[in-house]
């Protein structure tokens, strides 16, 4: 199902000489009333114009820095650091409207969280940092 659209079913695709998918053929169900909806949706980043690639960016996804909720109480707080507290996604596709975003500008990336344009951003090299998740994934402290 496309976000804000109809239920679609992939019935085929076309690849170019390099093996990259260049076209997806789908059937749309234009009358989904009363039918079971799919479990997920696709968020699509379209070409800004035919033959032009979508805008790309580096996205830095920050998560909790420590595995416990009180690293100061440990003998060596460095041993408690979360090794996956930063995931860097290079070449992420973003909407063309973000191409002119300036450092400090804030955006919500649907279903991912809130992001700010990093000062490392340069013309043609966007960088976004996640500042807030939409769902708290930090384990809750044990009830006292």
């Amino acid at each position: 199902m496309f976000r804000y659209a109809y239920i679609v079913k992939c019935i085929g695709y076309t690849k170019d000489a390099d093996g990259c998918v260049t076209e997806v053929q789908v059937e749309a169900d234009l009358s989904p009333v009363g039918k079971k909806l799919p479990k997920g949706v696709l968020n699509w980043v379209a070409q800004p114009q035919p033959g032009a690639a979508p805008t790309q960016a580096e996205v830095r996804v920050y998560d909790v820095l420590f595995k416990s909720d009180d690293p100061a109480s440990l003998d060596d707080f460095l041993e408690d650091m979360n090794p996956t507290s930063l995931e860097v996604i290079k070449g992420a596709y973003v909407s063309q409207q973000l191409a002119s975003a300036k450092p400090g500008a804030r955006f919500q990336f649907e279903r991912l969280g809130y992001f700010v344009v990093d000062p490392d951003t340069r013309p043609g090299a966007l960088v976004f940092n996640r500042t807030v998740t939409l769902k708290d994934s930090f384990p809750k402290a044990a009830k006292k």
Side-chain angles (χ1 to χ4, degrees):
M1 178 173 205
F2 280 121
R3 171 77 63 200
Y4 312 116
Y6 297 104
I7 297 172
V8 293
K9 176 182 177 183
C10 179
I11 58 170
Y13 57 90
T14 304
K15 291 184 178 184
D16 63 15
D18 297 326
C20 295
V21 175
T22 57
E23 180 180 271
V24 178
Q25 297 101 33
V26 300
E27 289 179 346
D29 184 348
L30 303 180
S31 58
V33 177
K35 296 179 184 170
K36 184 178 177 182
L37 295 176
K39 292 183 181 180
V41 297
L42 295 176
N43 292 301
W44 193 265
V45 177
Q47 292 178 323
Q49 57 189 350
T55 302
Q56 292 188 17
E58 175 178 309
V59 179
R60 299 171 182 166
V61 182
Y62 292 92
D63 204 350
V64 293
L65 184 58
F66 296 102
K67 294 183 263 184
S68 70
D69 58 353
D70 187 13
S73 68
L74 303 173
D75 292 334
D76 184 2
F77 73 93
L78 293 176
E79 291 294 320
D80 193 44
M81 290 186 70
N82 176 2
T84 61
S85 64
L86 172 60
E87 177 186 4
V88 177
I89 303 167
K90 296 182 182 283
Y93 292 122
V94 297
S95 177
Q96 179 185 4
Q97 290 81 358
L98 296 178
S100 60
K102 304 289 186 231
R106 299 174 305 266
F107 301 93
Q108 180 181 351
F109 288 6
E110 192 170 359
R111 300 178 66 194
L112 296 176
Y114 293 91
F115 290 75
V116 64
V117 180
D118 190 274
D120 291 346
T121 291
R122 301 287 177 261
L126 287 168
V127 180
F128 292 93
N129 297 325
R130 182 169 68 184
T131 57
V132 178
T133 63
L134 293 179
K135 180 178 177 186
D136 184 9
S137 61
F138 192 72
K140 303 294 181 211
K143 293 183 179 181
K144 296 176 181 169

